[in-house]
Amino acid sequence: MAELTPMMKQYLQIKEQNQDAILFFRLGDFYEMFGDDARKASKELDLTLTTRDKDKNKSFEEKIPMCGIPYHASDAYIARLIAKGYKVAICEQTEDPATAKGLVDRDIIRVVTPGTVIDAACLEEGRSNFCAGLYLDDTCAGFSVCDISTGKTHVTAFQGPDRAEHLLNELGRFSPAEAVVNQAAYDCGPLLSLMQDKLHCHVERLPAGRFQLQEAERTVRTQFGDEAAARLPKGNPAAALSLGALLGYLHETQKTDLRHVDDLDYYQQGQFMELDLTARRNLELTETLRSKEKKGSLLWVLDKTKTPMGGRMLRSWLERPLLSVTAITRRSGAVGQLVDHTMTREELALALSGIGDMERLVGRIVYGTAGGRDVVSLKNAMARLPHVKELLSAFDRGRLGELAQLDPLEDLTDLIGRTLCDDPPFSVREGEFIREGFDPEVDRLRSILHGGKGVIASMEAAEKEKTGIRTLKIGYNKVFGYYIEVSNSFKDQVPDTYIRKQTLVNGERYITQELKDLEHDILSASDRVSALEYELFTRLRQELSGHVARIQATAAAVAEADCLCSLAAVAVKNNYCCPAVDESGVIEIHQGRHPVVEAMRPDALFVPNDTYMGRSEDRVSIITGPNMAGKSTYMRQVALMVLMAQIGSFVPAKAARLGIVDRIFTRIGASDDLSAGQSTFMVEMTEVSDILRTATADSLLILDEIGRGTSTFDGMSIARAVLEYCADPKRLGAKTLFATHYHELTAMEGTLPGVKNYNIAVRTRGEEIVFLRKIVPGGADRSYGIEVAKLAGLPEAVVSRARKILRQLEEESGHPAAAPAPREDQVSFAAVAEGEVIDRLRRAQVDSLTPLEALQLLYELKKKLT
Ligand code: ADP
């Protein structure tokens, strides 16, 4: 093999240390990739793969595949590679190629990984991007996450037999993009499968040496200070171990001190409601089950925040419902104050609208990747703070009163305002962004630069006078720079000091020493001023970095005010009430509604329902009723209201009293585990057993059609046994909403204490079925399966055949015929239709309808009646 060039040796040396990443190797204005990296990247990024030389006889180096991208467009390419799960190591020239002797020094400046991207192109505004650290051993488990775009860091630890289970729940809560884990965590099947298959999280296994307690504690202390480090639990090393390994990984990939990562939140079991991934998904807290979109989720209803940081905070509130009555009422109290003060609330929302993403801007400033426009955006954001503070000052007590104490950062706004002009150019290398009057040297150089034309004009005048050549002109072109042009008729009068450069058809061009000196001054002023401006900008950025903790604290206060305003605005718009939250263990809702269903169809009538569940009486509700009656909507609405109350929100009801619930469990419908090769029934039973094992008397259970996946008798027996277990205070005694098709189970009402039957009322008219959506005490008389099937459009022949078979079956078993003759007292179809028409009319906002919409509405109403 031929000898490698020094540059290629340098490349291979750097690549050797970054085997698992695609190496972006800076060469002039390009990042080049070589070898396997080039093959992968060219495929993923649709780049042309080339070799330096295709000749077979050439050396290895010349045959090596390569591809490249222009450095200024790298962000988008990096984003695409990260989205596909790659890591990208960025290798820069660390000295100026113009002054370097021989080979330019190069080094890795940063490794971008899915959990450590900070570029805005890769990040979703209202969502944190977490990198997690997981530590698991025989006795304990540690979990930590950090979002380096904002510096937010959380850590917790667990002990005992359920420690891995808790890790699963925390992973579901934060849904990190990447996790660094120790061997035992990697070997834990459910953990790995949750991360890789469900959360699509990039998993990085670190060797045991990265989880050493002393080293970990030292890293944590250095990053967050002694006080924060001392808050970590003494008896459980897992917290420090997971956090230490995470920080180590962040330092290693980011190559900076991560100064903005300075606020550590240590939380403990019992501080937040724990929800497993199944419950989070089933309740559609932040995205819908099927399409994974925000629209249609609870977050979509509640999120009217005006800043990205407020959006992220609200999402984190939803992911971490509170358990302390005091903490909850602090929030709901503030929401209540904002509900009552409409003017202030609306003005606040307006003031918050322009603030933007202070948190991530600060992150970029600390990183040194912020440009002039970023810093000016930060200034514009901060300029709104005094007004926000003033508005908040209307509240002198409660949480809002505390938020009113926020630091308005006026000195920093002023500093940026004095240093930078209002509309800086995109690049900080090209100058023209330092404000006039800020630095005398910048001003002097600029006057040469901009005064250049004036200087040239006066030289032209002087030369004309000196030589007496009337037509003498000074011009400029790229080849010669400045020149003096004299027309042919005056050629003879040209002095000796003129040096001829170019002959034209009707004249000659000259230069002089004097002109060249002036040119040098003018041209170098441009370079000098750019360099000076860049230096001043870097100094400003450094100075701002020194205030990062202050800016972050203010950003957090703004985010919180934004969340509270959002909850208040939603409460007013949707007519919610403030729930009384206590430790009574009672759930009592008067005229409750489903927040999402009612918001998705604003012009349809949502029928409100009451709920009562006590600690001993009415602990378990068995809910029967045909498919489509509204059972699952009803059960979810109860769970969602509990959840909303525990994040401090108002709830969709006339009135509500909600006893704190420690966990919500759901067992609803098919699960996405089916793709993992388990049968529906297996999945159902695994979920049920998990619930029964981990629920407590303070939990709320939503169980939809347990036992459906097997034969009737098996299924019914399992359903009954599960119900008995839930209802029995000696076993579980948890509040349970249990929807079932097994009408036989309604017999439990009299025999098991705490169990009560409910059904969702329907009426029949002939063979038609009408859903009334009202929950009423008592069991349903029958399933109406055939009527619902008919409604779904099953062919008439099949429907009537099914009726026949049903009748036969019932005759054989000696039960009464199922389809009773239509009763006179039942609400008629026409009456229901009329009711709906009147309701639609009442809700119609005639003023805002276009003529076409009005016609459409009329048409629909008429169709309903006929
Ligand atoms: P089930 O679980 O009994 O099969 P669902 O809860 O899925 O029924 O509800 C069926 C449909 O009825 C849903 O489309 C839902 O939007 C609507 N619905 C349910 N409850 C109500 C209600 N209280 N008011 C208005 N519409 C409702």
Side-chain angles (χ1 to χ4, degrees):
M1 191 163 56
E3 208 22 40
L4 292 175
T5 58
M7 192 203 74
M8 214 52 208
K9 275 192 195 147
Q10 185 190 39
Y11 169 81
L12 290 175
Q13 209 172 27
I14 295 173
K15 178 66 203 172
E16 174 75 26
Q17 291 152 17
N18 293 277
Q19 303 275 10
D20 58 343
I22 291 186
L23 181 59
F24 274 32
F25 191 74
R26 181 72 180 266
L27 258 179
D29 282 346
F30 281 81
Y31 286 119
E32 298 289 357
M33 287 151 271
F34 299 102
D36 271 350
D37 284 358
R39 282 194 202 94
K40 279 185 221 153
S42 64
K43 197 163 124 256
E44 301 289 4
L45 303 173
D46 301 320
L47 300 172
T48 317
L49 195 62
T50 60
T51 54
R52 288 197 156 173
D53 199 316
K54 294 196 172 60
D55 185 342
K56 284 214 180 71
N57 301 320
K58 291 293 165 110
S59 67
F60 154 79
E61 180 186 336
E62 285 161 328
K63 279 189 305 196
I64 193 168
M66 58 181 281
C67 63
I69 52 159
Y71 88 98
H72 58 79
S74 62
D75 288 350
Y77 288 108
I78 294 174
R80 278 165 66 189
L81 288 174
I82 297 299
K84 288 175 192 262
Y86 292 97
K87 295 169 43 169
V88 178
I90 300 174
C91 174
E92 284 293 348
Q93 299 168 164
T94 48
E95 63 179 339
D96 187 350
T99 55
K101 292 191 188 70
L103 185 64
V104 182
D105 277 341
R106 290 188 175 82
D107 205 352
I108 299 290
I109 55 144
R110 199 152 95 78
V111 182
V112 187
T113 70
T116 62
V117 282
I118 47 161
D119 184 57
C122 310
L123 293 174
E124 213 179 300
E125 264 202 348
R127 184 180 207 144
S128 298
N129 190 56
F130 286 115
C131 190
L134 264 69
Y135 174 83
L136 182 67
D137 67 19
D138 294 342
T139 53
C140 49
F143 179 86
S144 53
V145 284
C146 175
D147 176 354
I148 61 161
S149 74
T150 61
K152 294 230 151 57
T153 312
H154 310 277
V155 60
T156 187
F158 307 96
Q159 267 164 329
D162 290 336
R163 60 196 182 286
E165 195 111 29
H166 289 301
L167 285 186
L168 289 171
N169 293 340
E170 295 313 311
L171 279 167
R173 191 194 300 279
F174 289 97
S175 191
E178 182 174 8
V180 293
V181 307
N182 73 337
Q183 187 66 41
Y186 191 82
D187 293 339
C188 173
L191 270 181
L192 194 65
S193 127
L194 174 78
M195 289 190 280
Q196 290 184 329
D197 305 336
K198 293 195 182 156
L199 301 177
H200 307 295
C201 164
H202 179 90
V203 180
E204 190 83 24
R205 186 174 19 160
L206 298 183
R210 303 286 286 272
F211 297 87
Q212 299 294 333
L213 190 57
Q214 257 186 355
E215 176 65 18
E217 285 175 341
R218 200 178 54 76
T219 315
V220 174
R221 261 199 313 275
T222 318
Q223 189 75 43
F224 298 103
D226 293 345
E227 205 184 310
R231 283 202 301 271
L232 296 188
K234 301 281 174 300
N236 189 344
L241 285 171
S242 80
L243 184 57
L246 172 62
L247 289 172
Y249 180 73
L250 295 177
H251 288 146
E252 176 187 285
T253 52
Q254 303 310 295
K255 321 262 180 212
T256 73
D257 63 358
L258 297 170
R259 190 192 298 186
H260 65 304
V261 178
D262 63 353
D263 186 16
L264 181 62
D265 162 45
Y266 167 65
Y267 67 99
Q268 299 174 53
Q269 213 183 333
Q271 212 172 330
F272 302 110
M273 183 193 284
E274 227 179 294
L275 289 165
D276 57 21
L277 190 68
T278 315
R280 277 175 204 288
R281 293 202 163 164
N282 278 332
L283 294 173
E284 308 192 299
L285 296 188
T286 54
E287 60 183 28
T288 57
L289 206 51
R290 273 181 229 295
S291 58
K292 307 267 175 254
E293 281 167 13
K294 182 176 167 189
K295 181 167 184 190
S297 68
L298 182 60
L299 181 62
W300 168 74
V301 175
L302 296 182
D303 186 3
K304 298 286 175 270
T305 55
K306 305 293 179 191
T307 67
M309 29 194 193
R312 287 193 294 273
M313 186 178 273
L314 190 64
R315 183 186 279 267
S316 84
W317 283 6
L318 260 185
E319 280 159 355
R320 314 168 91 193
L322 302 167
L323 294 177
S324 129
V325 174
T326 325
I328 293 168
T329 41
R330 240 155 81 88
R331 271 197 208 153
S332 59
V335 173
Q337 281 181 297
L338 288 164
V339 164
D340 295 341
H341 291 80
T342 308
M343 285 279 281
T344 314
R345 182 183 73 241
E346 286 174 357
E347 272 187 62
L348 252 176
L350 216 59
L352 290 165
S353 313
I355 289 194
D357 207 337
M358 281 171 70
E359 257 174 13
R360 282 190 175 156
L361 284 173
V362 172
R364 290 221 285 285
I365 286 174
V366 172
Y367 259 85
T369 56
R373 291 189 182 176
D374 291 326
V375 178
V376 169
S377 300
L378 180 66
K379 178 198 76 173
N380 295 339
M382 294 191 304
R384 289 170 169 265
L385 295 172
H387 186 44
V388 171
K389 186 176 168 77
E390 184 193 320
L391 289 167
L392 284 171
S393 307
F395 306 98
D396 51 4
R397 55 190 176 85
R399 185 62 189 148
L400 292 172
E402 287 168 18
L403 292 177
Q405 303 302 317
L406 70 84
D407 174 354
L409 306 170
E410 278 156 313
D411 53 326
L412 302 183
T413 313
D414 182 57
L415 172 69
I416 301 174
R418 273 186 291 120
T419 316
L420 298 185
C421 66
D422 292 337
D423 191 14
F426 188 73
S427 163
V428 286
R429 296 281 183 180
E430 286 158 20
E432 297 295 331
F433 52 83
I434 296 293
R435 191 180 285 283
E436 220 180 294
F438 177 74
D439 182 82
E441 181 61 10
V442 169
D443 290 349
R444 195 185 70 81
L445 290 170
R446 274 199 195 140
S447 78
I448 295 186
L449 195 60
H450 298 168
K453 284 208 184 83
V455 183
I456 292 287
S458 55
M459 183 183 234
E460 190 180 273
E463 290 299 308
K464 268 187 196 166
E465 199 181 345
K466 214 158 60 184
T467 58
I469 304 174
R470 265 188 298 113
T471 58
L472 182 147
K473 270 192 313 207
I474 296 186
Y476 178 85
N477 76 18
K478 285 217 177 91
V479 187
F480 303 126
Y482 288 99
Y483 56 79
I484 299 172
E485 194 173 308
V486 175
S487 61
N488 284 338
S489 45
F490 289 99
K491 233 160 56 177
D492 302 343
Q493 293 178 39
V494 166
D496 297 344
T497 48
Y498 279 30
I499 306 159
R500 195 159 57 80
K501 269 285 172 195
Q502 195 183 13
T503 306
L504 307 171
V505 183
N506 42 14
E508 300 278 348
R509 285 178 177 171
Y510 305 87
I511 54 168
T512 65
Q513 190 54 45
E514 202 187 344
L515 185 61
K516 280 294 130 186
D517 290 347
L518 187 63
E519 178 182 294
H520 175 76
D521 262 6
I522 294 174
L523 296 184
S524 70
S526 162
D527 286 348
R528 275 182 292 159
V529 78
S530 305
L532 182 56
E533 288 201 45
Y534 183 69
E535 192 191 316
L536 291 170
F537 178 73
T538 318
R539 229 182 281 159
L540 170 70
R541 214 161 48 185
Q542 269 164 5
E543 174 150 14
L544 290 171
S545 299
H547 295 278
V548 57
R550 278 177 70 202
I551 306 178
Q552 279 174 336
T554 298
V558 167
E560 192 172 337
D562 194 10
C563 288
L564 295 168
C565 269
S566 172
L567 291 180
V570 173
V572 172
K573 177 167 172 271
N574 298 348
N575 207 6
Y576 292 173
C577 75
C578 182
V581 177
D582 57 24
E583 311 243 9
S584 62
V586 170
I587 293 180
E588 188 175 5
I589 299 167
H590 180 50
Q591 300 214 2
R593 289 139 24 221
H594 190 297
V596 182
V597 173
E598 76 166 358
M600 285 294 271
R601 298 171 52 205
D603 52 350
L605 176 72
F606 191 92
V607 180
N609 273 309
D610 294 347
T611 304
Y612 183 85
M613 303 178 85
R615 223 178 213 146
S616 49
E617 80 289 9
D618 290 352
R619 201 169 37 229
V620 174
S621 306
I622 300 179
I623 304 166
T624 42
N627 280 318
M628 281 299 288
K631 300 182 296 298
S632 85
T633 306
Y634 171 73
M635 296 195 297
R636 282 161 197 258
Q637 99 186 17
V638 175
L640 289 177
M641 269 187 272
V642 165
L643 219 130
M644 288 166 79
Q646 289 187 227
I647 68 164
S649 167
F650 280 25
V651 296
K654 268 261 159 59
R657 174 182 177 208
L658 298 167
I660 299 269
V661 158
D662 67 349
R663 291 182 65 159
I664 298 176
F665 292 91
T666 60
R667 166 54 232 169
I668 300 173
S671 150
D672 49 6
D673 262 346
L674 290 183
S675 53
Q678 285 190 307
S679 77
T680 318
F681 184 65
M682 264 308 278
V683 173
E684 181 186 329
M685 287 303 117
T686 321
E687 284 186 14
V688 171
S689 60
D690 282 348
I691 296 174
L692 298 186
R693 223 160 23 81
T694 28
T696 76
D698 291 322
S699 306
L700 172 65
L701 275 50
I702 307 285
L703 305 176
D704 201 351
E705 297 190 35
I706 297 290
R708 190 183 48 165
T710 182
S711 73
T712 311
F713 283 132
D714 280 7
M716 199 175 359
S717 319
I718 292 173
R720 183 174 175 122
V722 168
L723 250 178
E724 286 176 358
Y725 191 96
C726 294
D728 184 355
K730 285 205 260 340
R731 307 236 188 206
L732 191 51
K735 283 185 280 297
T736 308
L737 293 167
F738 195 102
T740 183
H741 279 303
Y742 300 127
H743 294 186
E744 293 80 352
L745 294 180
T746 54
M748 292 169 72
E749 185 179 63
T751 56
L752 263 187
V755 175
K756 190 141 185 178
N757 289 329
Y758 289 94
N759 74 90
I760 305 208
V762 292
R763 291 286 157 105
T764 47
R765 175 175 170 259
E767 289 174 351
E768 307 279 357
I769 182 167
V770 179
F771 299 114
L772 301 182
R773 313 273 183 227
K774 227 22 190 175
I775 188 142
V776 291
D781 49 354
R782 44 181 285 260
S783 330
Y784 302 97
I786 297 175
E787 286 81 354
V788 176
K790 186 177 170 200
L791 211 63
L794 209 63
E796 185 51 44
V798 178
V799 172
S800 58
R801 173 73 188 128
R803 277 213 176 87
K804 228 185 226 155
I805 297 174
L806 177 65
R807 228 166 280 137
Q808 269 173 13
L809 285 174
E810 282 171 344
E811 274 161 22
E812 280 164 22
S813 70
H815 285 301
R823 294 202 318 251
E824 285 309 311
D825 62 348
Q826 279 171 350
V827 178
S828 79
F829 223 109
V832 171
E834 271 167 31
E836 278 180 26
V837 167
I838 290 172
D839 186 65
R840 272 298 291 279
L841 276 173
R842 255 196 215 115
R843 285 164 164 260
Q845 307 215 320
V846 180
D847 288 344
S848 61
L849 289 182
T850 64
L852 200 66
E853 283 167 347
L855 200 63
Q856 177 73 18
L857 178 67
L858 202 60
Y859 177 77
E860 275 173 26
L861 295 180
K862 177 99 172 104
K863 198 167 143 207
K864 262 203 168 69
L865 290 179
T866 51

